[in-house]
Amino acid sequence: MNRKLLTTAVCTALVSAVAPAYAQQANAASNDDSITKIEAVTVTGSRISNPNVVSPAPVSVLTAEDIKATGAVNIGDLLTTMPQLATTFTMGNSGRFIGTAGVAMQDLRNLGTARTLVLVNGRRMVGASAGTSSVDTNLIPADWVERVEVITGGASAVYGADAVSGVVNFILKKKYEGANAHVQIGDSQHGGFKERLFSFTAGTNFADDRGNVAVSIEHSQQDPLWFPDRFGHQNYATVLTPGGAYDGLLLPNSRNYIYTTGGAFSLGSPRDPTQRYVFNPDGSVRKQRFNGIYDNRSNCQDCEGLTNDQTQLQPDYKRTTVSSVASFDLNQDNRLYFEGMYSKVASKSFGSAAFAGTNNFHIIEKDNAYIRPDLAALTADLDYINMTRDDLDSGLRGEDTERQTFRVVFGAEGALGDSGWLYDASVNYGRTQERRRNLNNRIMERFYAGLDAVVDPSSGQIVCRSKIDPTHVNQSFYNNTSSPDGIISPEVAASCIPFSIFGDGAINPAARDWFNATTISKTRLTQFVAGGSLTNNNLFELPAGPISFGAGVEYRRETSETNNDPLDISGQTFLNAIPSARGSYNVREVWTEVAIPLLHDIPLIKSLTVGAAARYSKYDTIGSTRAWRYNLDWAVNDSLRIRGNMSAAVRAPNIDELFGGQSQNFGIVDDPCDATEIPNGKDPAVRARNCAALGLPANFQDQVGSSNEGLSGSNPDLDPETGRSWTAGFVFTPTFLEGFGFNADYWEVKIENAISAPDFQQTADHCVDSPSGINNIYCTNARRRADGQLDFIVSTNQNISAIETDGVDIAMYYTHDLWGGRMRWDLNATKVLSYKNFPFQEDPDDETDSNKTLGFPEWKATLRAGYSRDNWDVNWSTRFASGGRRVTNESYASNPKQTNVSWAGSGVFHDMRGSYTFKDTGLQVYAGITNVFDSDPPANLFGTGFGSALYDVLGRAYYVGMNYKF
């Protein structure tokens, strides 16, 4: 097939990201009858392949050259630098959740990864995280990408559920001839971090060029990066300073004083520094050092306490991806195609060691065998020694994860004779398997048994108390686990190894190996999609042009199964007690789309086209849903195009939200009906009235001295989320300035019935703060005993929230001749006007505005400049994210002096790359520097949190590489 003409027109438009260039070039070819015989090419956002139809919503494009110019070896972090995408998952912060280290799931408009649909060549891809459909974009081979198209705004009518905030579509190679080898190595100026990439691609035609087959293998890896390698021994904390200019100061050389690696205890309150003691490495005891200021919230400056030295900033990560494509032209109108991918990922990440804090003391009895005389004399008046400790000598807890993802697509596409109808039918199957080893996962009963060490009177040897007194109640075991009686089991007592925790390094290796375990969690996700479409770009002719029409059907089945280790399920380990879970759903869908030209070549209207799309879906879990979209495309003249889009989107709850399981949980709740809490209600009179309706007296007192028990997790009775989105903007490509384009688009997204789980405190508060009384779901879930005390709280997923956000996208490019070469400029920016979250949508006055807070920048932009001449090519790029408050806007408004520094400054980072291509050899060499000026992130932000991931934390880094085409 001769696809060159249309492909050139489309790619030219996509690279510029300005629609009129696309339409004008395509129109020039539309009168050629041969166009009906060539491959259909679509732009993300529409299933109609008519070259006269442009995307109904703004499309941002990252080309293969853009990717190469950054030196990125894994594409996930690169995408989060795009203005439309949030830093919810980066390589540095992906370890915030269990089982996600190394996973890059994209988040458009900060609306959540579950509301962003990721496609590969316009088709779905299997998810990477248990119970979800969120795709790990790090799996996508960087060298196999032709471009990435990002469309924001609801696209459920075109692509189905999960596209509430938009679509990220990876366009990969569909054919390849020849061979290419690519090698790149990189290192950081600050040491401890290296990156490598190797890829090889080869392809060939066969059967007189009717067929093509190509294969690519790509391997990338990075070494772990530890905090001291990058930031030395920095430690920050906010220390309260009441009575000063600020309530608190963010200070260097500050830390939490509750936790030390040698252990600490207090003769009085744990937060009274004058009563606190610590242990020397030899086990002797002394006063804890406090040379600077301190507060009663566990923070101090120039003191002893928890440090960042064992913090991991980047995990150890290795990825190998094998990709393949094949196609065969049955005749000039019909083609068979195949896509295949297999990816294997190994990541190893480490978090903190197990620990004991003020809510889970290591309780040492007075006859413990390791208590020295100085400690015994000091603690003579105490019943127990309640120790806090960072148990670093027991080993850092970590996750050693292997993920394997497999995906195949078989399909056929072509034309149905000379009828004008084009078809595309495909079957898509994907599978992800994960095996996670939870490292140094403490078995709580064993640890507490070994901790309770005494001297055996008969032998004079140090033994575990449970060996000689099997009925003794182990206080740590009883207080800190779900043990009903605190008695150590005979099996554990028989193998118990005693140990000391007095001093850094006190835990002996034999005991550590005995009470730690490596537990195994396994996850399997599958996805099966079968569908087909029919489109006709000339359904019938109108005076302004032909009507384009498309329709299709799709069947999809998703499954997820997680099998956790029995030790973890039972709650016997330090890891969260997570039940195994499994679930599935299937959905049958039908969609249609139409584009109708209304006017053509009249004053102020070169062309005016309206479009519409609709989708009907039927799930076996939630029933039927409907989504729709209307759009307008108005070319005023050859230089100016105006576009608008309005859509209704839906998101069906995923497997985890429906079937992830419910588990026991605990949370500290200040009873809103306590007499001292009544004035803190939104309307104290309403709160008082509702508390009285519950049968509680006006002088009621909260007697629960510890955390409240409850239930958290999934809800099989959820409804779908619904969303509305609007976009309106213009594209300006002046005919008098060749190579220049500018577009600006306003966008707004509103989501209702958003799925969320209120925390225990919110549940208790909303029960009695409701103006309509106590007959609400929150009072049902905040259960009280006969004496009125809160007893049990249910906090499961519910359709109770709403989100509203709006902003403006701006893009500009300019390409022109300069000094015998070619200069390229490309600017993409987003300004967020508002981001409002309504935790309880029935209460519109209860809102939080996250805009301009950390992780929700008001401005985010990228600027690229490139110059090519002869065999040289040089690129410079700048990444920018505006600063944000470290506290909520509402909290800052109520007390702007609550802390200094409350603002995190903007991040501006520069990268450069240069390459040289040796003429007639196929060899290109290149080198680059990222973060050229070695810019640091703001104080106390290290890239491991959601908001701090906005900043480059690696510092200046270098890379060199080569491409060789055979």
Side-chain angles (χ1 to χ4, degrees):
M1 302 182 190
N2 179 14
R3 306 180 180 93
K4 184 176 180 181
L5 180 60
L6 182 56
T7 301
T8 300
V10 172
C11 289
T12 300
L14 290 172
V15 171
S16 67
V18 178
Y22 168 47
Q24 291 159 15
Q25 294 183 62
N27 281 334
S30 62
N31 293 325
D32 189 339
D33 292 339
S34 65
I35 291 296
T36 62
K37 304 295 185 182
I38 66 178
E39 181 180 26
V41 179
T42 61
V43 178
T44 303
S46 173
R47 299 291 187 105
I48 294 174
S49 58
N50 186 347
N52 297 309
V53 177
V54 298
S55 172
V59 178
S60 298
V61 178
L62 194 68
T63 68
E65 292 304 314
D66 294 332
I67 296 171
K68 292 176 182 176
T70 66
V73 300
N74 292 300
I75 206 166
D77 280 5
L78 172 61
L79 288 178
T80 63
T81 65
M82 297 183 70
Q84 300 84 1
L85 289 159
T87 54
T88 307
F89 278 90
T90 64
M91 192 67 78
N93 74 9
S94 60
R96 291 177 297 143
F97 307 102
I98 295 174
T100 58
V103 172
M105 296 182 283
Q106 300 306 315
D107 182 358
L108 276 166
R109 305 296 191 205
N110 252 324
L111 291 171
T113 58
R115 301 182 182 106
T116 300
L117 179 61
V118 172
L119 305 173
V120 176
N121 288 335
R123 301 178 186 88
R124 287 179 177 262
M125 175 146 173
V126 65
S129 182
T132 77
S133 299
S134 300
V135 174
D136 180 8
T137 55
N138 274 337
L139 301 183
I140 307 297
D143 273 8
W144 203 242
V145 176
E146 291 190 347
R147 65 185 183 274
V148 184
E149 300 171 359
V150 178
I151 175 173
T152 54
S156 290
V158 178
Y159 295 107
D162 311 329
V164 177
S165 59
V167 172
V168 179
N169 189 11
F170 289 85
I171 309 299
L172 307 184
K173 297 183 188 299
K174 295 182 179 179
K175 64 180 298 184
Y176 191 85
E177 294 182 67
N180 183 80
H182 180 197
V183 178
Q184 179 178 309
I185 58 174
D187 201 353
S188 168
Q189 175 175 307
H190 300 280
F193 182 76
K194 292 180 172 63
E195 288 184 319
R196 277 85 73 192
L197 171 72
F198 168 78
S199 73
F200 181 80
T201 301
T204 184
N205 288 346
F206 62 91
D208 297 326
D209 293 338
R210 293 173 61 192
N212 178 267
V213 60
V215 178
S216 169
I217 180 170
E218 180 173 297
H219 176 78
S220 72
Q221 67 182 77
Q222 69 168 49
D223 295 340
L225 179 65
W226 294 91
F227 188 93
D229 293 329
R230 175 63 178 94
F231 296 106
H233 301 286
Q234 291 184 26
N235 281 282
Y236 288 88
T238 297
V239 184
L240 300 184
T241 56
Y246 290 88
D247 295 343
L249 302 175
L250 178 62
L251 298 173
N253 190 25
S254 299
R255 50 186 54 85
N256 183 295
Y257 59 72
I258 292 294
Y259 302 95
T260 69
T261 55
F265 67 94
S266 177
L267 298 179
S269 167
R271 290 183 172 83
D272 180 359
T274 65
Q275 298 291 309
R276 291 187 59 81
Y277 290 80
V278 296
F279 294 90
N280 293 312
D282 64 357
S284 60
V285 66
R286 61 175 173 80
K287 289 291 291 287
Q288 188 168 357
R289 180 177 63 84
F290 290 90
N291 292 342
I293 64 173
Y294 53 82
D295 62 22
N296 62 354
R297 294 288 185 91
S298 308
N299 291 325
C300 57
Q301 186 181 42
D302 193 10
C303 58
E304 289 178 289
L306 191 65
T307 70
N308 288 320
D309 285 1
Q310 301 303 319
T311 300
Q312 190 182 59
L313 300 179
Q314 297 273 323
D316 186 14
Y317 182 87
K318 298 179 179 66
R319 169 183 62 86
T320 301
T321 302
V322 179
S323 304
S324 61
V325 293
S327 61
F328 185 77
D329 297 339
L330 298 174
N331 51 46
Q332 80 170 13
D333 291 331
N334 299 280
R335 181 174 76 115
L336 303 176
Y337 60 84
F338 164 81
E339 300 170 12
M341 187 184 78
Y342 169 78
S343 185
K344 183 176 181 179
V345 169
S347 69
K348 183 179 287 188
S349 64
F350 288 94
S352 68
F355 55 87
T358 56
N359 292 323
N360 62 326
F361 289 112
H362 290 334
I363 301 173
I364 308 298
E365 299 198 39
K366 300 301 288 296
D367 59 348
N368 187 282
Y370 295 104
I371 293 180
R372 296 168 39 142
D374 57 344
L375 178 59
L378 186 64
T379 60
D381 295 335
L382 300 179
D383 295 330
Y384 301 96
I385 303 174
N386 291 327
M387 287 185 58
T388 59
R389 193 175 192 268
D390 179 22
D391 298 329
L392 181 61
D393 46 9
S394 71
L396 291 176
R397 295 176 297 134
E399 296 180 355
D400 187 359
T401 306
E402 180 181 284
R403 301 183 189 93
Q404 298 184 65
T405 301
F406 167 77
R407 178 179 185 262
V408 293
V409 177
F410 295 93
E413 64 179 0
L416 299 178
D418 296 326
S419 65
W421 287 97
L422 305 176
Y423 72 90
D424 189 350
S426 64
V427 175
N428 175 359
Y429 175 78
R431 182 181 69 234
T432 295
Q433 292 179 285
E434 176 184 287
R435 183 177 187 270
R436 186 179 75 250
R437 301 171 68 243
N438 305 300
L439 307 175
N440 290 324
N441 191 10
R442 174 177 295 174
I443 302 175
M444 303 300 284
E445 184 180 9
R446 290 189 179 190
F447 180 84
Y448 290 132
L451 182 66
D452 190 13
V454 296
V455 176
D456 185 350
S458 63
S459 66
Q461 301 296 314
I462 297 177
V463 298
C464 300
R465 189 195 302 270
S466 54
K467 281 190 175 181
I468 60 175
D469 185 1
T471 63
H472 182 79
V473 176
N474 185 303
Q475 291 298 321
S476 289
F477 185 41
Y478 180 73
N479 285 11
N480 298 325
T481 71
S482 58
S483 170
D485 52 20
I487 296 176
I488 302 299
S489 66
E491 296 79 13
V492 170
S495 60
C496 185
I497 300 176
F499 59 88
S500 168
I501 60 170
F502 301 141
D504 190 3
I507 297 178
N508 67 74
R512 179 188 64 207
D513 294 342
W514 174 71
F515 64 67
N516 279 339
T518 297
T519 57
I520 306 295
S521 298
K522 296 180 179 179
T523 296
R524 176 187 171 98
L525 296 90
T526 67
Q527 180 187 76
F528 175 80
V529 185
S533 65
L534 286 172
T535 60
N536 192 320
N537 296 324
N538 193 8
L539 187 62
F540 55 85
E541 194 78 20
L542 294 177
I547 289 179
S548 295
F549 173 82
V553 296
E554 186 173 282
Y555 170 83
R556 177 164 56 96
R557 178 173 175 79
E558 306 263 2
T559 72
S560 176
E561 180 177 354
T562 299
N563 293 302
N564 289 317
D565 196 287
L567 280 173
D568 295 330
I569 295 173
S570 64
Q572 297 182 55
T573 66
F574 196 88
L575 187 69
N576 295 17
I578 305 174
S580 294
R582 59 185 53 85
S584 65
Y585 68 83
N586 64 67
V587 54
R588 295 170 172 83
E589 301 181 283
V590 58
W591 61 267
T592 185
E593 185 177 4
V594 64
I596 304 172
L598 299 181
L599 299 171
H600 176 67
D601 286 337
I602 63 175
L604 297 179
I605 300 179
K606 181 176 179 60
S607 66
L608 180 65
T609 301
V610 296
R615 176 178 290 257
Y616 172 82
S617 307
K618 188 171 184 180
Y619 292 81
D620 66 347
T621 52
I622 60 168
S624 61
T625 65
R626 294 169 177 82
W628 51 261
R629 187 200 71 205
Y630 299 107
N631 60 275
L632 177 140
D633 178 49
W634 171 19
V636 179
N637 52 42
D638 289 337
S639 299
L640 179 63
R641 181 181 294 271
I642 297 173
R643 59 191 177 190
N645 176 78
M646 179 174 62
S647 65
V650 293
R651 184 182 79 85
N654 61 36
I655 293 173
D656 184 58
E657 292 163 335
L658 289 168
F659 310 118
Q662 299 178 353
S663 58
Q664 182 188 39
N665 206 345
F666 295 88
I668 296 175
V669 178
D670 295 324
D671 194 326
C673 289
D674 185 281
T676 62
E677 292 293 329
I678 294 293
N680 296 330
K682 182 179 299 184
D683 185 334
V686 169
R687 178 175 284 194
R689 184 172 65 249
N690 286 334
C691 289
L694 289 171
L696 304 177
N699 62 348
F700 176 79
Q701 291 185 347
D702 181 5
Q703 300 294 333
V704 179
S706 60
S707 58
N708 289 87
E709 183 181 0
L711 191 70
S712 299
S714 61
N715 180 0
D717 297 321
L718 291 172
D719 293 322
E721 298 179 342
T722 59
R724 292 289 180 93
S725 65
W726 297 263
T727 65
F730 67 89
V731 181
F732 182 55
T733 52
T735 55
F736 58 82
L737 185 59
E738 183 181 355
F740 176 82
F742 176 83
N743 61 276
D745 292 274
Y746 170 81
W747 51 268
E748 181 181 51
V749 182
K750 294 183 178 181
I751 300 173
E752 296 180 343
N753 297 320
I755 298 169
S756 64
D759 61 33
F760 285 5
Q761 186 69 58
Q762 288 177 317
T763 300
D765 289 349
H766 274 75
C767 163
V768 294
D769 286 339
S770 172
S772 60
I774 60 173
N775 294 320
N776 57 63
I777 185 63
Y778 310 110
C779 286
T780 302
N781 289 340
R783 303 171 188 171
R784 294 180 179 269
R785 301 194 304 248
D787 61 359
Q789 299 293 326
L790 280 170
D791 179 49
F792 194 88
I793 298 179
V794 177
S795 176
T796 56
N797 293 330
Q798 301 173 49
N799 295 97
I800 58 174
S801 301
I803 306 172
E804 296 180 5
T805 181
D806 67 331
V808 177
D809 287 340
I810 300 170
M812 180 173 61
Y813 77 95
Y814 185 37
T815 304
H816 59 93
D817 293 331
L818 182 67
W819 300 330
R822 194 73 173 164
M823 190 73 197
R824 308 177 303 277
W825 305 89
D826 188 3
L827 170 69
N828 283 279
T830 292
K831 181 177 183 180
V832 179
L833 301 175
S834 68
Y835 188 102
K836 297 179 180 179
N837 192 303
F838 301 87
F840 300 89
Q841 61 187 358
E842 81 277 5
D843 185 0
D845 294 330
D846 183 7
E847 75 171 49
T848 59
D849 186 358
S850 298
N851 196 28
K852 303 180 188 178
T853 62
L854 193 59
F856 293 84
E858 179 185 21
W859 279 99
K860 192 176 178 185
T862 59
L863 173 65
R864 296 186 179 93
Y867 180 71
S868 301
R869 181 175 177 178
D870 299 327
N871 298 334
W872 290 95
D873 191 84
V874 179
N875 292 276
W876 183 280
S877 64
T878 300
R879 298 167 276 145
F880 172 79
S882 59
R885 292 192 177 96
R886 300 171 187 256
V887 297
T888 66
N889 287 320
E890 292 73 25
S891 177
Y892 182 81
S894 65
N895 183 9
K897 300 293 185 179
Q898 62 185 275
T899 184
N900 185 32
V901 180
S902 62
W903 184 265
S906 300
V908 184
F909 305 96
H910 304 272
D911 311 314
M912 66 176 297
R913 178 185 186 269
S915 66
Y916 181 80
T917 302
F918 292 88
K919 188 176 181 180
D920 299 327
T921 66
L923 175 64
Q924 181 194 66
V925 295
Y926 63 89
I929 305 174
T930 57
N931 197 348
V932 173
F933 300 112
D934 199 25
S935 299
D936 289 331
N940 205 36
L941 298 178
F942 306 117
T944 55
F946 160 68
S948 63
L950 281 168
Y951 303 96
D952 187 319
V953 300
L954 297 179
R956 184 184 293 120
Y958 312 92
Y959 62 90
V960 295
M962 58 156 284
N963 276 288
Y964 183 67
K965 292 185 178 181
F966 296 87

